[in-house]
Amino acid sequence: MAVERTLSIIKPDGLEKDIIGEVIGRFEDADLRPIAMRMTWLSRQEAEGFYAVHADQPFFDELIEFMTRGPVVLMVLEGENAIERNRMIMGATDPDEADEGTIRAEFATDIGENTVHGSDSPENAEKEIRYFFSDTDLYPDRAQE
Ligand code: ADP
Ligand code: MG
């Protein structure tokens, strides 16, 4: 297994539910280490650009309204098999279909307000990380004790 990087977003409902620490703790417990992090309030333009692949979906307007209604936390997670393992920890898009113990099963409101985003492939991870972060924002190397 290779060390990978993936983009994680704690969505506005996650901040409204006061579970930033809970979510990040789950990633750290699974050895998915945040190597970059920023709280921001996405503009409509940023959200539409990020979710451009869904522009033709019937839920697109609802998704953009939701993602811009409050601040989000953007993170780059690094670890073994990070892309797939992050998706496992998140659970299925629809919380009713998400495995027990996953973030979405425990915290999501519904299929739209589902608390977290995670990149779904190496190509998209690279694209999504670059959308929000530059190389100088990433801190993969930490001082060892
Ligand atoms: P995922 O986030 O699990 O990769 P998708 O890429 O299919 O899911 O969709 C992106 C986001 O769009 C979802 O996380 C969710 O916030 C929203 N979404 C997806 N399907 C629906 C739907 N049927 N109704 C409302 N919002 C949806
Ligand atoms: Mg997706």
Side-chain angles (χ1 to χ4, degrees):
M1 267 318 137
V3 172
E4 294 175 335
R5 293 173 180 176
T6 191
L7 185 82
S8 170
I9 304 178
I10 307 178
K11 298 183 178 184
D13 69 303
L15 276 68
E16 291 159 10
K17 291 165 182 159
D18 295 316
I19 54 169
I20 295 172
E22 168 78 33
V23 170
I24 295 174
R26 285 168 182 241
F27 297 144
E28 290 183 327
D29 287 348
D31 292 323
L32 295 180
R33 307 174 90 198
I35 61 164
M37 192 178 296
R38 180 166 85 248
M39 189 184 291
T40 189
W41 194 318
L42 296 177
S43 67
R44 175 162 283 271
Q45 193 184 352
E46 282 175 310
E48 287 177 350
F50 182 74
Y51 279 120
V53 65
H54 296 302
D56 294 334
Q57 297 293 324
F59 59 80
F60 186 67
D61 287 346
E62 185 188 329
L63 175 61
I64 299 308
E65 281 300 316
F66 164 54
M67 289 299 293
T68 57
R69 84 173 180 209
V72 299
V73 174
L74 307 171
M75 282 179 282
V76 178
L77 302 176
E78 185 181 75
E80 289 285 328
N81 199 18
I83 296 163
E84 189 185 330
R85 288 205 302 121
N86 179 40
R87 298 281 307 190
M88 298 286 294
I89 293 166
M90 290 164 56
T93 310
D94 183 347
D96 290 339
E97 289 170 13
D99 288 343
E100 203 178 321
T102 59
I103 293 170
R104 283 167 163 172
E106 287 195 25
F107 301 111
T109 303
D110 56 36
I111 194 173
E113 301 191 13
N114 57 9
T115 313
V116 278
H117 167 85
S119 309
D120 63 4
S121 68
E123 298 70 37
N124 285 337
E126 198 185 319
K127 232 192 285 180
E128 291 177 1
I129 290 168
R130 247 189 296 121
Y131 191 78
F132 288 120
F133 293 99
S134 18
D135 282 347
T136 51
D137 296 325
L138 310 180
Y139 296 94
D141 301 313
R142 297 185 190 171
Q144 301 293 311
E145 286 168 29

